[in-house]
Amino acid sequence: MIDVIDLKKSFGKLEVLKGVNVKIEKGDIVCVIGPSGSGKSTFLRCLNCMEDPTGGQIIFHGVNIADMRVDINLHRRKIGMVFQQFNLFNNKTVIENIMLAPVHVGVSDLRNAKLHNFFLPLTNMFRKKKNKKSALEITQTKAQIKEEARKNALHLLERIGLSDKADVYPSTLSGGQKQRVAIARALAMNPDVILFDEPTSALDPEMVGEVLDLMRELAEDGMTMVVVTHEMGFAREVASRILFMDQGVILEEADPKSFFESPKHQRTQEFLSKVL
Amino acid sequence: MADIAIRWSKFWRSFWINEGYIRVFSEGLKNTLIIAVVGLIIGIVIGTLIAAVKVMPKYKILPRILDKILALYVGFFRGTPIVVQLLLAYFVIFPMVGINIGSINTCVLVFGLNSGAYISEMMRAGIQSVDPGQMEAGRALGMSYSVTMMKIIVPQAVKNILPTLGNEFIALIKETSVASFVAVVDLYKVFTEIGTSNYEYLIPYLFMAIIYIVLVMLITLGIKIMERRLQKSDRRN
């Protein structure tokens, strides 16, 4: 689904990624681990072009989204992202946080379709007979879009066990609750893949569990995930593949069992002996 | 003391008995408020747009050009007194291009452009005070830069700079007293007229000062209420 080819990224003179090649298939749960400064967060942020790559390609559903001419916003709708610092919208309630993007996307699509249909007689005048375009179908009104998004959001809140928090502001939630809402917000767009950028690193040890449990559930439902994490236990248990990064390259790529039990690369052995 | 009594009776005659108060409220106060309120709204819109351009990433050519043009604009409106801008607009620029939009509209426009220049800097500070993660989260959900700006960043920025914005509104209300330079009948103008009618200025000007103070106090109160309402997303409630 995501095909990363020779991905390079540098900040000024500092070269952070020095040619990364990965293939992420549907249903994969890829855990990226490595020492700090190894470029794993940058790699993850390049996958949805939060950082524009300076070289290489990222093929998502057959389109190279690293190309600056591509409308990245269209593709980001299908790539969810969960941040270390949660980044919930502070001026919106929990349910508004979850609804915001689906409603915006639905309404702007509706508006574009209406505009298209409105100007269609005019634009079709200049087209040859076989090229004439037909009107786009409009199935929902604005109110229906909102209602559906609300229903979906409530359903998601129920799933993460925070139905009673729908109308409170994020500042009143605990860290673990915030992160679960952030995951629900990503899920609300029905993404094909979710990127997790150290989702448990800013949490109290006590709250790590609830977030990891939710991620485990997602994994069981077959969601494709790319997780940058320091939770070795989680990686070992849930991941279908593990990438070990150091100095901007992927040193080792293996399934969890062979990765943790018989690491091949010397640097990997060093790292594992320190963290395990 | 007798002196004050005579002055008061003179003022009372022109203000109440000769119905000067009608002109005070239906023209002076009205025009002052129109110029200040509409000017502030124009200023906020312009200021927000300028600030949004200023904080844009600068690796594309268009934002860079826009940035330079807007720097000129801000430089001009902050570098010259508002009286000069009013006179320039009313007596030089509009006659030269041959449009006549009336003195009040000219005032509204000039005051709007002027406060836009000041508000742009406040707004920029406000936008930069919002956690960059908010923008990242919005962009990661597939919303464009401008949509995230308008729906997420600017509301939080406005909340942060509300006290400063209130300051700007207060300054604006008081600055409108120069509108009479271009023949607008504002508060200052009507009270001067009342004074001129019987050569008695002391009490009319005192009265004018009181009206300005009451206006400013009302604005202060309004801002406090707004702040309290916007604070409901904070923890301390």
Side-chain angles (χ1 to χ4, degrees):
Chain A
M1 181 160 46
I2 302 182
D3 212 345
V4 183
I5 302 166
D6 198 28
L7 178 68
K8 287 196 178 96
K9 171 74 185 172
S10 28
F11 295 102
K13 281 204 178 116
L14 180 72
E15 200 177 16
V16 182
L17 296 179
K18 301 167 184 164
V20 175
N21 291 287
V22 188
K23 241 190 169 100
I24 297 161
E25 302 295 344
K26 190 166 168 45
D28 268 1
I29 293 142
V30 180
C31 280
V32 186
I33 59 179
S36 52
S38 60
K40 48 192 194 312
S41 273
T42 309
F43 163 68
L44 193 79
R45 290 164 60 81
C46 278
L47 287 182
N48 66 348
C49 296
M50 292 305 284
E51 306 285 355
D52 288 311
T54 37
Q57 294 181 318
I58 299 162
I59 314 287
F60 178 65
H61 286 320
V63 183
N64 178 18
I65 56 174
D67 188 342
M68 293 296 274
R69 284 164 295 182
V70 171
D71 183 4
I72 187 67
N73 293 328
L74 282 180
H75 298 284
R76 279 194 186 138
R77 292 177 186 179
K78 288 290 154 206
I79 308 178
M81 189 160 192
V82 175
F83 299 88
Q84 182 178 359
Q85 300 295 340
F86 329 126
N87 293 347
L88 293 179
F89 303 133
N90 295 327
N91 57 333
K92 306 270 180 198
T93 60
V94 165
I95 192 155
E96 282 169 347
N97 261 282
I98 300 175
M99 282 168 60
L100 181 71
V103 169
H104 166 71
V105 164
V107 170
S108 70
D109 280 354
L110 178 73
R111 199 187 308 130
N112 288 342
K114 275 184 180 164
L115 265 179
H116 174 90
N117 290 354
F118 181 76
F119 285 110
L120 198 66
L122 190 73
T123 48
N124 264 352
M125 280 201 308
F126 302 101
R127 292 196 177 100
K128 285 181 188 148
K129 206 162 201 176
K130 56 177 179 181
N131 289 343
K132 289 208 191 294
K133 287 187 179 169
S134 57
L136 294 173
E137 211 178 329
I138 294 176
T139 49
Q140 279 179 312
T141 62
K142 209 166 158 180
Q144 278 171 327
I145 291 173
K146 276 185 188 159
E147 189 49 44
E148 196 185 302
R150 170 169 284 276
K151 237 186 250 168
N152 191 21
L154 284 171
H155 182 74
L156 282 168
L157 278 175
E158 201 175 310
R159 178 171 171 188
I160 63 170
L162 290 174
S163 302
D164 53 329
K165 299 280 186 191
D167 292 314
V168 304
Y169 283 92
S171 56
T172 57
L173 298 180
S174 74
Q177 290 171 333
K178 278 185 195 170
Q179 195 62 295
R180 274 146 66 198
V181 173
I183 293 174
R185 179 176 68 176
L187 283 174
M189 295 291 286
N190 288 322
D192 295 332
V193 53
I194 302 187
L195 314 175
F196 292 84
D197 189 0
E198 304 195 20
T200 55
S201 299
L203 294 176
D204 281 348
E206 252 184 299
M207 294 167 179
V208 170
E210 54 185 272
V211 173
L212 290 184
D213 284 343
L214 180 57
M215 287 167 66
R216 217 167 271 144
E217 272 174 41
L218 285 182
E220 279 160 17
D221 292 350
M223 176 61 77
T224 314
M225 308 202 288
V226 183
V227 191
V228 169
T229 185
H230 293 294
E231 297 290 329
M232 295 304 153
F234 176 80
R236 186 175 208 156
E237 187 189 335
V238 179
S240 62
R241 249 189 317 154
I242 293 193
L243 306 180
F244 180 75
M245 283 187 79
D246 192 30
Q247 308 276 342
V249 288
I250 293 178
L251 279 185
E252 195 159 339
E253 183 175 351
D255 59 290
K257 196 166 184 302
S258 55
F259 179 84
F260 283 104
E261 279 162 19
S262 54
K264 289 183 193 71
H265 207 281
Q266 200 201 336
R267 183 73 185 86
T268 320
Q269 292 164 359
E270 236 172 73
F271 177 79
L272 285 177
S273 70
K274 273 181 201 154
V275 295
L276 288 181
Chain B
M1 222 33 226
D3 188 39
I4 294 285
I6 294 166
R7 282 168 185 266
W8 175 259
S9 71
K10 274 183 173 178
F11 167 71
W12 192 248
R13 193 173 335 122
S14 47
F15 180 75
W16 190 257
I17 299 169
N18 292 343
E19 296 189 326
Y21 67 93
I22 295 179
R23 206 161 141 75
V24 167
F25 290 108
S26 73
E27 283 199 52
L29 188 63
K30 192 186 98 186
N31 286 343
T32 292
L33 284 179
I34 285 179
I35 294 170
V37 172
V38 183
L40 185 77
I41 292 169
I42 295 176
I44 289 176
V45 172
I46 291 178
T48 311
L49 290 176
I50 295 178
V53 171
K54 274 189 178 169
V55 297
M56 242 184 214
K58 292 285 185 300
Y59 47 76
K60 279 184 191 160
I61 190 80
L62 184 68
R64 246 182 289 171
I65 295 173
L66 271 176
D67 195 50
K68 288 279 178 295
I69 296 172
L70 294 174
L72 264 179
Y73 163 83
V74 173
F76 173 76
F77 277 95
R78 290 203 305 181
T80 51
I82 183 111
V83 183
V84 174
Q85 293 159 18
L86 265 181
L87 295 177
L88 269 180
Y90 192 66
F91 292 112
V92 182
I93 296 169
F94 283 138
M96 238 162 54
V97 286
I99 34 177
N100 185 9
I101 56 170
S103 51
I104 291 183
N105 290 345
T106 311
C107 266
V108 165
L109 197 68
V110 170
F111 275 94
L113 289 171
N114 183 281
S115 68
Y118 285 95
I119 291 176
S120 73
E121 283 298 303
M122 296 173 199
M123 203 56 115
R124 188 173 61 90
I127 288 173
Q128 281 169 345
S129 74
V130 176
D131 175 17
Q134 301 280 309
M135 174 57 91
E136 280 186 0
R139 295 305 306 275
L141 284 166
M143 296 193 291
S144 67
Y145 178 87
S146 51
V147 170
T148 316
M149 206 63 178
M150 282 306 144
K151 290 199 168 169
I152 307 297
I153 310 291
V154 169
Q156 293 182 49
V158 168
K159 185 179 130 191
N160 290 348
I161 62 161
L162 205 62
T164 346
L165 217 53
N167 258 353
E168 172 66 19
F169 189 30
I170 288 171
L172 202 59
I173 278 244
K174 292 185 295 186
E175 271 175 12
T176 53
S177 56
V178 300
S180 57
F181 271 76
V182 292
V184 172
V185 183
D186 71 330
L187 269 182
Y188 160 74
K189 187 77 179 169
V190 280
F191 277 108
T192 305
E193 279 173 8
I194 287 176
T196 316
S197 66
N198 47 23
Y199 308 107
E200 164 47 50
Y201 291 101
L202 187 135
I203 293 178
Y205 282 172
L206 259 179
F207 223 77
M208 177 169 76
I210 291 170
I211 293 189
Y212 273 118
I213 289 176
V214 169
L215 278 182
V216 169
M217 278 161 68
L218 285 177
I219 294 168
T220 317
L221 186 75
I223 287 166
K224 262 196 191 140
I225 294 172
M226 267 176 83
E227 256 181 90
R228 209 169 301 150
R229 287 192 55 180
L230 285 175
Q231 261 172 11
K232 66 180 192 282
S233 63
D234 288 354
R235 196 177 262 268
R236 46 170 192 273
N237 53 357

